[in-house]
Amino acid sequence: MKNNIKAFTMKNQRPSFSSLALYAGALMLGLTTVPDAHAQNLCSGNPHRSSSFEMSLGSTQLSVAGDAQYHLRGDLAWFARSRSPFRTGIRLGWGHLGQSSMTSAASSSEGNPEQEVVESRYRLAMNTVHGVVRFDPLVGAFRPFVEGEVGVAATAVDRRDFDRLGERTAYAVPSLDPTLQYGWSAGARIRMSRTSFFVLRYGTQHGGQLDLHSTADPEGAFDLADHQHHTGTIGLSFGF
């Protein structure tokens, strides 16, 4: 009688990938996703936002009876260290509205009939001081933000008198017109290095009307700027 029982053996089938490869993949996934999630955290308790100092240049648009005027503007700002997306700071602004010089004849102090030429040089500017609250939600390489600000703006004319030897003999501020301002702005910071950023910002300010003197007659008649102003600047931000 034939024996029809066949011997057989069991073999373990290998998976298509090893446990070592699975572990390595999980590790790589964790390394790439955790920093991204951490960068997008809006209310982290860690002090990710260091204090920063910003310098920027741009222009201010002022309107007089609907006619737009564009003037050079410079800003300096400082923002405090923060553990939240909200940061507070202060911004100082200076707007160049023009400059001129005039000459006039005046008798000498000794009663000499000869005339000496006296030159008066004028500088027209708009200065601002604003307290700022910035909402800065992200901590990555690209950091958009929005701001609210309130403070004071003032147009000013200063006069410096010089004798014919070029020595300054007098200084005065014949016109100073301050007003309260409030406004908003938005922009972004783009990382350049570990502690430096490129900054873009555009904003609108509202407040009282400001006196705008002409460079042709700095101490004479003036126009009134409209209540709304626009600013656009680019600059650099440094963290510390």
Side-chain angles (χ1 to χ4, degrees):
M1 186 174 180
K2 293 182 180 181
N3 186 1
N4 294 323
I5 300 176
K6 295 182 179 180
F8 64 93
T9 57
M10 297 183 62
K11 295 183 179 180
N12 293 328
Q13 298 293 328
R14 287 191 175 184
S16 59
F17 53 90
S18 65
S19 58
L20 180 61
L22 179 63
Y23 175 80
L27 180 62
M28 291 298 296
L29 181 62
L31 291 176
T32 55
T33 57
V34 170
D36 291 340
H38 180 68
Q40 303 299 324
N41 185 8
L42 301 184
C43 299
S44 174
N46 298 324
H48 294 297
R49 297 163 182 82
S50 61
S51 56
S52 61
F53 175 74
E54 294 183 3
M55 303 180 297
S56 57
L57 285 174
S59 68
T60 294
Q61 176 192 327
L62 304 176
S63 296
V64 179
D67 295 330
Q69 301 180 7
Y70 296 89
H71 301 281
L72 179 67
R73 175 186 177 88
D75 287 333
L76 294 176
W78 176 81
F79 290 91
R81 187 181 182 91
S82 175
R83 291 176 177 266
S84 75
F86 294 94
R87 308 176 66 187
T88 58
I90 185 171
R91 177 177 290 119
L92 308 179
W94 175 81
H96 178 68
L97 304 183
Q99 61 185 17
S100 63
S101 62
M102 298 181 183
T103 57
S104 60
S107 299
S108 66
S109 59
E110 294 138 1
N112 194 321
E114 296 181 357
Q115 303 289 314
E116 67 176 4
V117 176
V118 176
E119 182 183 23
S120 297
R121 301 175 187 173
Y122 293 90
R123 294 181 295 198
L124 289 70
M126 184 178 74
N127 304 315
T128 59
V129 180
H130 285 163
V132 184
V133 176
R134 172 180 286 183
F135 178 62
D136 185 13
L138 306 183
V139 294
F142 179 75
R143 306 187 183 186
F145 61 82
V146 292
E147 296 176 343
E149 54 187 343
V150 62
V152 177
T155 55
V157 176
D158 72 75
R159 184 188 72 227
R160 296 157 295 152
D161 295 334
F162 296 84
D163 61 21
R164 57 182 178 177
L165 298 179
E167 298 291 336
R168 192 175 78 178
T169 59
Y171 178 82
V173 181
S175 176
L176 178 65
D177 181 37
T179 184
L180 294 177
Q181 270 194 337
Y182 66 93
W184 64 269
S185 58
R189 295 194 300 159
I190 304 170
R191 184 187 295 277
M192 299 174 58
S193 68
R194 184 174 179 273
T195 58
S196 62
F197 293 82
F198 180 71
V199 184
L200 298 168
R201 188 176 68 88
Y202 173 82
T204 299
Q205 294 79 38
H206 305 266
Q209 292 181 313
L210 292 171
D211 299 345
L212 291 182
H213 289 262
S214 168
T215 55
D217 187 12
E219 296 189 58
F222 56 85
D223 295 319
L224 291 175
D226 292 345
H227 298 278
Q228 181 173 294
H229 314 141
H230 304 276
T231 62
T233 59
I234 60 175
L236 297 174
S237 173
F238 302 94
F240 56 91

